[in-house]
Amino acid sequence: MKAQALTSDQRADALEESLMKQTHKPAVRRGTGVLFGGLTPSGAPIEIKPLAPMPPKPTLADFFRLRFMPHTVTHMLQSATDALKKGEPEDIVLACLLHDIAINLLKVDHGYWAAQMLEPYVSEKISWAIRHHQALRFFADPEAGYEYPQRYVQIFGEGYRPEPYIRAAYEQARKHKWYMEARMITVHDLYAFDPDMKVSIDPFVDIIGRRFRQPKEGLGFDGSPVAHMWRSLIYPDNPL
Ligand SMILES: [Fe+2]
Ligand SMILES: [Fe+2]
């Protein structure tokens, strides 16, 4: 039906309906961490289920097992599996394995959050690479095997231009000695969205043992400046 064939009441109704669709109010803001509900980065609704208690001295593997949401776990395991298969050094394999952990806590600026959560426990190179995958994923580098992902056209829309702070971080990273470490996170990320691929944390247990300084008190209880971030994942239902 053409617009001019509608009565003004009908036009108002149609407008209201299309506005409702556009502004369909989610229960939480879009940047919320996926452990807290809301939507996945691609916009799929997240089902909140009761959580098992964590052991008193949680390890990194406990977070993979009991707190990180399943779709983030399979994505990170697939990306690390791709890195391992292609013969990457252990630093890069571990960076791929951990690059999106913060999506569970906050989706906004997740690369920065993850780098900060990990800084006390991994090499500077690994946390640097994870921090900068945030900016690099918006910029193609065909020579390194990274094209702008089609997924981002769906998530951010056609012709999306990242914020100036993201472009500035990208330009700075381009000149850095660890540019390729961060770039490879984005490359292996492209091979990590296969819903049918079965993956396990087992092949990475030794690498975690060698490259991740697990605090003996448990993540969240070691008094580090980022312990509260891990505790927020341990106790996501605490009202204050
Ligand atoms: Fe990411
Ligand atoms: Fe990712």
Side-chain angles (χ1 to χ4, degrees):
M1 203 189 300
K2 281 189 184 146
Q4 57 263 44
L6 298 172
T7 66
S8 64
D9 272 359
Q10 284 170 324
R11 269 205 301 276
D13 287 349
L15 180 66
E16 192 182 24
E17 199 189 306
S18 95
L19 278 175
M20 291 236 315
K21 271 186 198 146
Q22 280 168 33
T23 57
H24 165 71
K25 291 189 185 67
V28 295
R29 293 205 182 274
R30 195 67 196 272
T32 311
V34 291
L35 179 62
F36 298 84
L39 303 172
T40 67
S42 312
I46 289 160
E47 195 193 340
I48 301 224
K49 294 181 185 156
L51 291 166
M54 291 284 273
K57 296 176 181 176
T59 64
L60 185 61
D62 291 326
F63 281 88
F64 271 85
R65 216 160 42 85
L66 299 169
R67 283 298 179 274
F68 297 159
M69 294 299 277
H71 67 285
T72 71
V73 170
T74 45
H75 169 64
M76 292 187 289
L77 286 175
Q78 284 186 29
S79 118
T81 301
D82 190 62
L84 197 62
K85 245 182 5 209
K86 293 177 180 162
E88 296 282 15
E90 286 195 352
D91 273 349
I92 293 189
V93 175
L94 188 61
C96 290
L97 183 70
L98 302 176
H99 75 285
D100 280 340
I101 55 166
I103 285 183
N104 289 284
L105 187 60
L106 265 183
K107 296 202 272 308
V108 186
D109 266 346
H110 71 282
Y112 294 85
W113 283 93
Q116 194 178 356
M117 287 174 74
L118 292 164
E119 249 152 11
Y121 316 111
V122 298
S123 71
E124 202 188 332
K125 192 200 274 181
I126 293 176
S127 61
W128 190 95
I130 291 176
R131 176 171 286 112
H132 289 86
H133 99 275
Q134 172 84 39
L136 261 51
R137 67 214 167 103
F138 289 108
F139 300 90
D141 182 350
E143 266 173 51
Y146 186 76
E147 302 286 356
Y148 187 79
Q150 198 52 36
R151 286 184 66 243
Y152 284 6
V153 179
Q154 283 150 21
I155 296 176
F156 297 98
E158 200 80 53
Y160 175 72
R161 287 180 62 82
E163 298 286 333
Y165 80 93
I166 289 286
R167 176 168 286 277
Y170 160 70
E171 277 159 12
Q172 216 186 14
R174 258 287 188 193
K175 295 178 254 168
H176 197 279
K177 61 179 172 182
W178 291 332
Y179 168 72
M180 279 314 285
E181 275 77 1
R183 174 49 79 196
M184 291 321 286
I185 295 178
T186 68
V187 171
H188 297 297
D189 196 85
L190 297 175
Y191 300 92
F193 290 98
D194 179 353
D196 301 320
M197 187 178 163
K198 289 275 163 284
V199 276
S200 148
I201 198 167
D202 296 347
F204 307 105
V205 169
D206 289 348
I207 296 179
I208 293 171
R210 282 191 289 274
R211 309 253 158 192
F212 186 87
R213 290 185 290 273
Q214 170 66 42
K216 62 178 186 322
E217 305 88 344
L219 288 162
F221 305 107
D222 59 344
S224 89
V226 301
H228 62 287
M229 298 186 182
W230 295 91
R231 286 198 304 272
S232 300
L233 293 171
I234 296 172
Y235 307 119
D237 289 312
N238 281 4
L240 276 178

